[in-house]
Amino acid sequence: VQLQASGGGMVQPGESLKLSCEISGVNMVLTTVGWFRQAPGKQREGVSCIEGLGLTFVADSLRERFAITRDNSQNKVYLHFNKPKHEDTAVYYCMTDAAPLTYAATLCRDMTLSDGTYWGQGTQVTVSS
């Protein structure tokens, strides 16, 4: 199982941005994938996760600024930033447990520190005016 994250960079507050995660080695229809982030000095946290057939979870405090989509035919999952703020500056990672039919909420809330998960390399997003 491999994940490759891309699309990070520097954006101004309020600008849109889209991150991509390409996944290989899984059955995409059965596999839940999530986006996580880690800001300097803070713990890694779940941002948004999506199940194989499209059911999504977004962290409560982030629902107005983030959305997640996927294209199973392209083996990709996307994280969409809507009007990001300075506090969204972080390294963003995509992750999966590669297990069939994991609930999106479970992946995002409970599995950040779990064994048996697969992580992409991370992509830096800096929100700065």
Side-chain angles (χ1 to χ4, degrees):
V1 179
Q2 291 187 325
L3 297 91
Q4 180 75 34
S6 62
M10 183 172 290
V11 294
Q12 294 188 351
E15 283 189 340
S16 61
L17 180 70
K18 183 174 76 173
L19 303 183
S20 297
C21 178
E22 185 168 6
I23 307 111
S24 60
V26 300
N27 182 328
M28 285 295 289
V29 174
L30 297 179
T31 302
T32 300
V33 180
W35 284 96
F36 299 75
R37 69 182 185 181
Q38 188 163 20
K42 295 188 176 181
Q43 289 188 333
R44 192 172 296 188
E45 62 174 347
V47 176
S48 187
C49 296
I50 185 168
E51 297 174 12
L53 295 182
L55 191 66
T56 64
F57 171 87
V58 183
D60 288 345
S61 63
L62 303 176
R63 285 180 182 173
E64 291 187 356
R65 302 201 304 280
F66 291 92
I68 189 169
T69 60
R70 65 190 293 157
D71 183 343
N72 288 343
S73 68
Q74 298 293 320
N75 281 36
K76 290 186 176 179
V77 174
Y78 304 99
L79 182 68
H80 305 265
F81 289 63
N82 177 34
K83 299 181 180 178
K85 299 180 179 180
H86 290 106
E87 53 261 43
D88 295 322
T89 294
V91 179
Y92 284 76
Y93 301 87
C94 51
M95 181 271 269
T96 183
D97 63 347
L101 305 177
T102 300
Y103 290 124
T106 300
L107 192 75
C108 261
R109 291 195 298 223
D110 303 332
M111 299 190 70
T112 306
L113 301 178
S114 296
D115 293 333
T117 52
Y118 302 86
W119 293 84
Q121 83 285 9
T123 184
Q124 174 72 47
V125 174
T126 302
V127 184
S128 175
S129 52

